[in-house]
Amino acid sequence: MRASGVGAVLAAGAALGVDRWSGSHTVSVPLYGETVALEAPGSPVVVGVGRQGDVLPGTRVLRSARSADELVEAERAWLDGSATWVLADDRWGRLARAALLDLRVLTVPGGEHVAGWSSSWRYVWPRDSSHAAAAFTATGHVDEARRIALFLADVQRDDGWFEARYRPDGSGPPDTRRRQLDGTGWAIWAASTAVSATPGNAGMTLAAALRPMVERGVDLVLGLTASGSRLPAPSPDYWEVPERRLTLGTVAPLVVGLHSAATVLRRLDLSAAAERATSAATSLGQVVAAAYGPQGYPRHLGADDPDAALAILAPPYVASAPPGLADAVARSEARMRRPAGGVAPGAGWTDDGISWTPETALLGLAHAGCGRSGDAYRVLGWLDDHRTGAGSFPEKVLWDGRPASVAPLGWTAALVLMTLARLRA
């Protein structure tokens, strides 16, 4: 769980085929906290660096918390309601429970899921929250997934777009970041995961509540892609930088969203609308494969810039990966790898020596979705080995293996759970 020494990291990098690292572009980023833990019911706080001993082992509860025994018992009871594979008494079961506790502690009292608890991350990103919903569903915690999907439905713009992020009270974005088209695809996907896991009349009721969000989103995507026959215009994606060219990270979630819309629409017996969404999803997927596939699924068409977003074209996001994707994932991982053994968001990312855990986890999920379980477990092992001293997933890992930036990061925890579900459920 603790980071390795510099020598061990460089040796591991050599074993993985990482080129010699000169250290000329290394950047030092602090770790903002070991984890987030409860000091009272509904009151999470950041645990300072080096203060992991303040947290009760295997929990996200402070030793000094008010009603600590009750808080620990509530955590255990909640974990006991998880899918069977989460409760396994082995390395991967323990990793799954740690990831679930990271997600749980980032779920604010009203049910909204924030990306992290440090101040700049204490917001709702549609992408991060949608992954949390999928992870909650995969682990048997469907109530949490429903609340996330309903929150996203409440904040969606009337034109079907989503802002880059939102205040957790739903009052709107906290800044002037540009809206992001990928959020529409992610939100529809979150809706489908929650609806598909909710049986009977409750599922019908949920689908009806989410129907306006899904229909607005589908109409937007159909309009921007001519019903799936062409690529949309550029938009910022998960890199959250201005883009003059379309990125794979924008268009891939739209394919996912269109496929997912059919799940919600069919639950309401809207078969014609569901077929329209499915047809457009199939068409847009073929357009993406024809445009990006021959180039190895880069970030930008006509460029040699591998990007973690190619993972979004693999299961479980879609039913099956397009031809050549598995090999493209392996090649991209090698190109994006950083000295500690993880990857940067893309080969074109700043050459600063930093591994990013969510993008590393994305590629692990893609390996699992493409049937390469050995590579998926390898990535999970790396993520496990680079948690903080309190057991949470940091956003970043420095060139020498030290965890850095915010911890826990919910997106990473969700991707770990989705990968484990794919491998072990």
Side-chain angles (χ1 to χ4, degrees), residues 54 56 283 309 385:
D54 293 352
L56 290 166
S283 177
D385 289 341

Side-chain angles (χ1 to χ4, degrees), residues 19-111:
D19 293 336
R20 178 191 295 271
W21 186 255
S22 67
S24 59
H25 299 290
T26 57
V27 173
S28 181
V29 176
L31 179 65
Y32 302 143
E34 298 285 352
T35 190
V36 173
L38 297 174
E39 64 176 0
S43 299
V45 295
V46 175
V47 177
V49 176
R51 300 296 299 270
Q52 57 265 34
D54 293 352
V55 183
L56 290 166
T59 77
R60 298 294 180 267
V61 177
L62 291 176
R63 293 181 185 275
S64 60
R66 178 166 54 88
S67 305
D69 290 345
E70 288 83 352
L71 290 171
V72 171
E73 180 57 33
E75 271 193 354
R76 288 175 179 167
W78 184 80
L79 284 175
D80 285 345
S82 304
T84 303
W85 59 268
V86 175
L87 305 177
D89 187 22
D90 61 8
R91 179 185 188 181
W92 307 118
R94 290 187 289 273
L95 186 65
R97 292 191 290 277
L100 261 179
L101 290 180
D102 276 354
L103 288 186
R104 184 175 187 265
V105 80
L106 294 175
T107 303
V108 300

